[in-house]
Amino acid sequence: MNRINQILSDLKSQGRKALVSYIVCGDPKLEQTVSSMHALVKGGADIIELGVPFSDPMAEGPVIQRAHERALEHGTSLRDAMACIAEFRKQDTKTAVVLMGYANPVERYGYEAFAQDAKSSGVDGLLTVDLPPEEAKELDEHLKKADLENIFLIAPTTASERRKEICDLASGFVYYVSFRGVTGASSLDSDEVAHKVKAIREVAHTPVLVGFGIKDAESAKTIGACSDGIVVGSAFVKIMAQENLSADDINLQLETLVRSMRVALDEL
């Protein structure tokens, strides 16, 4: 079984919520990415989303946009991201890793070659922010052949008919975006999130995880209570951006923040 499905199945049987953490590969430098991934796992992350730097990350707020810029300044590429995951796998064969990015680098790489190389690197799934489901079928075929999950976003503005289409195609989990806007904002409406997650669950055959706007233990617990898990990005990327901290200090802060969210989720 794919690691994503195994982890989410195990958590469900344990009555626990999933904690997905996001950082950008190559931010602030490529040499730090793997050690930070291990720090996130040490703190309690179940799944890591590794962002692939892109020149026009349209769904991202200023915090993650700057992380993409820092990574691109060092020339970090999709191949570098897969190399980091291969390195991560030398010590960790259990934690699921999802590549999250935009369609253009994957399309340029070639869908079949990407799926094969991603699988051999230890990747478990892909989330392409800007690839509409109706244009994802060719990529989806190659991902399925390689046993890679194809994860899709659902926005608050997504119509009910389209929600079902997305859920029919999605595998691994469905990522519900908690509010209208870009990553890093702070306008969570927990009642609205709970209402939308309930509607998605009626048509989804996978767990429903919620991201955007979750930044601490309190917001993690609030959103975890109405979903199968949470996705946290900007709060971790802010830590990575602190130029005055050493790599070890950054990793310690990452681990501490993840652990606080893990504890909050396990209280549910």
Side-chain angles (χ1 to χ4, degrees), residues 31 143 186 194 210 247 263:
E31 294 76 18
L143 295 178
S186 55
V210 178
V263 170

Side-chain angles (χ1 to χ4, degrees), residues 32 35 245-253:
Q32 185 161 345
S35 67
L245 293 184
S246 68
D248 288 343
D249 288 339
I250 286 174
N251 289 342
L252 181 59
Q253 288 198 16

Side-chain angles (χ1 to χ4, degrees), residues 35-110:
S35 67
S36 293
M37 292 170 71
H38 286 304
L40 293 166
V41 175
K42 191 175 180 182
D46 302 298
I47 298 172
I48 292 176
E49 280 187 355
L50 190 60
V52 179
F54 188 59
S55 57
D56 184 23
M58 65 185 78
E60 317 297 354
V63 171
I64 295 181
Q65 281 187 18
R66 285 195 288 275
H68 281 246
E69 291 170 359
R70 289 191 294 271
L72 288 173
E73 287 174 0
H74 306 305
T76 307
S77 66
L78 177 56
R79 289 184 186 276
D80 291 326
M82 288 192 281
C84 282
I85 294 169
E87 182 68 22
F88 174 78
R89 285 283 174 238
K90 293 179 180 177
Q91 294 184 45
D92 189 324
T93 59
K94 294 182 177 179
T95 305
V97 180
V98 174
L99 280 176
M100 180 173 181
Y102 293 79
N104 186 263
V106 178
E107 187 175 2
R108 279 191 293 140
Y109 199 104

Side-chain angles (χ1 to χ4, degrees), residues 19-32:
L19 202 172
V20 182
S21 58
Y22 169 96
I23 59 173
V24 176
C25 183
D27 173 46
K29 54 187 178 181
L30 189 59
E31 294 76 18
Q32 185 161 345

